[in-house]
């Protein structure tokens, strides 16, 4: 085309209302695979790191940079890499028991430094995750960011609390957390169906 027909079109910020996540049942299959400890070491470490993201909400970059001094017995306190230069706010994430277990395993007796030392690069971790997903019959395309989405989806389906999820994910605005609002659709349908008992 001699001229770009979209040059004058201004797009307002659109938010995707879906995020790829694995189901609770698929997560259980990955945990079972992890507990069997039958994978070769590189796959086992990638799986452990992925499960940490599923249980902690951290993005892969933030999880990689996580240091021992940012971890307490009850929570992780960190500044998201994505927001360090824009809105350097501390994000506090309560620790689930599986996340604590993984952290303790990686830290061992060390007192300082990064929690996750010696990880493969992101590309290789994502390749490992495809192999692991195939091993347990997960059909969606699993990548490192699926861990964060899985945490958010399962948290929201359990709590229905978008504001708490926003705080845990470290989002600067609720509109970013709204990508997970599709999880609440089943609750909307269930809620509206309570009126079906009225006969008109």
């Amino acid at each position: 085309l001699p001229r770009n027909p979209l040059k004058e079109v201004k797009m307002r910020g659109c938010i995707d209302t879906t995020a790829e996540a694995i189901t609770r049942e698929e997560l259980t299959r990955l945990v079972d695979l992890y507990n069997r400890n039958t994978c070769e070491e590189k796959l086992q470490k990638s799986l452990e790191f992925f499960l940490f993201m599923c249980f902690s909400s951290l993005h892969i970059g933030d999880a990689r940079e996580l240091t021992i001094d940012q971890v307490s017995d009850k929570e992780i306190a960190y500044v998201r890499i994505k927001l360090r230069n824009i809105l350097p706010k501390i994000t506090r994430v309560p620790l689930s028991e599986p996340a604590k277990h993984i952290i303790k395993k990686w830290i061992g007796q060390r007192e300082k430094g990064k929690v996750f030392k010696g990880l493969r690069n992101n590309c290789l971790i994502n390749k490992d995750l495809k192999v692991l997903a195939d091993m347990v019959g997960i059909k969606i395309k699993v990548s490192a960011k699926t861990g964060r989405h899985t945490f958010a989806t399962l948290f929201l389906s359990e709590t229905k609390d978008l504001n708490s999820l926003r705080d845990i994910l470290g989002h600067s605005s609720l509109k970013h957390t709204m990508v997970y609002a599709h999880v609440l659709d089943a609750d909307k349908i269930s809620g509206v169906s309570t009126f079906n008992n009225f006969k008109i």
Side-chain angles (χ1 to χ4, degrees), residues 20-124:
E20 287 278 50
I22 58 175
T23 65
R24 182 180 302 276
E25 194 271 329
E26 290 167 333
L27 181 57
T28 300
R29 279 190 258 155
L30 283 175
V31 169
D32 289 344
L33 178 64
Y34 169 75
N35 287 332
R36 286 198 301 270
N37 199 21
T38 54
C39 297
E40 60 181 296
E41 185 179 358
K42 67 178 184 176
L43 286 177
Q44 188 74 6
K45 285 192 170 185
S46 292
L47 175 56
E48 193 166 47
F49 187 55
F50 176 73
L51 290 175
F52 172 76
M53 291 181 282
C54 290
F55 295 130
S56 70
S57 85
L58 269 66
H59 181 275
I60 187 169
D62 295 316
R64 275 187 175 280
E65 294 299 314
L66 188 66
T67 58
I68 293 170
D69 63 336
Q70 293 172 312
V71 179
S72 74
D73 289 339
K74 295 183 179 179
E75 69 179 10
I76 296 168
Y78 72 105
V79 176
R80 290 192 62 208
I81 291 172
K82 186 177 179 180
L83 301 175
R84 277 186 190 159
N85 297 326
I86 304 165
L87 184 67
K89 159 186 120 157
I90 293 176
T91 298
R92 296 185 181 283
V93 179
L95 276 173
S96 65
E97 290 304 316
K100 280 185 202 176
H101 172 81
I102 292 168
I103 287 171
K104 284 179 184 174
K105 187 171 177 188
W106 277 79
I107 290 176
Q109 300 302 313
R110 293 182 295 125
E111 294 182 7
K112 61 182 179 176
K114 290 184 181 177
V115 171
F116 297 100
K117 287 178 68 175
L119 284 170
R120 289 156 61 83
N121 70 44
N122 292 359
C123 254
L124 292 176

Side-chain angles (χ1 to χ4, degrees), residues 147-164:
R148 182 170 165 86
H149 293 322
T150 298
F151 175 93
T153 301
L154 295 179
F155 178 92
L156 193 56
S157 65
E158 182 67 28
T159 67
K160 320 297 186 249
D161 187 347
L162 275 166
N163 281 316
S164 292

Side-chain angles (χ1 to χ4, degrees), residues 24 151-166 168 174 177-178 180-191:
R24 182 180 302 276
F151 175 93
T153 301
L154 295 179
F155 178 92
L156 193 56
S157 65
E158 182 67 28
T159 67
K160 320 297 186 249
D161 187 347
L162 275 166
N163 281 316
S164 292
L165 180 60
R166 186 196 81 188
I168 288 173
L174 191 59
T177 316
M178 290 302 289
Y180 302 105
H182 67 281
V183 172
L184 302 176
D185 286 347
D187 293 325
K188 289 181 203 170
I189 293 165
S190 173

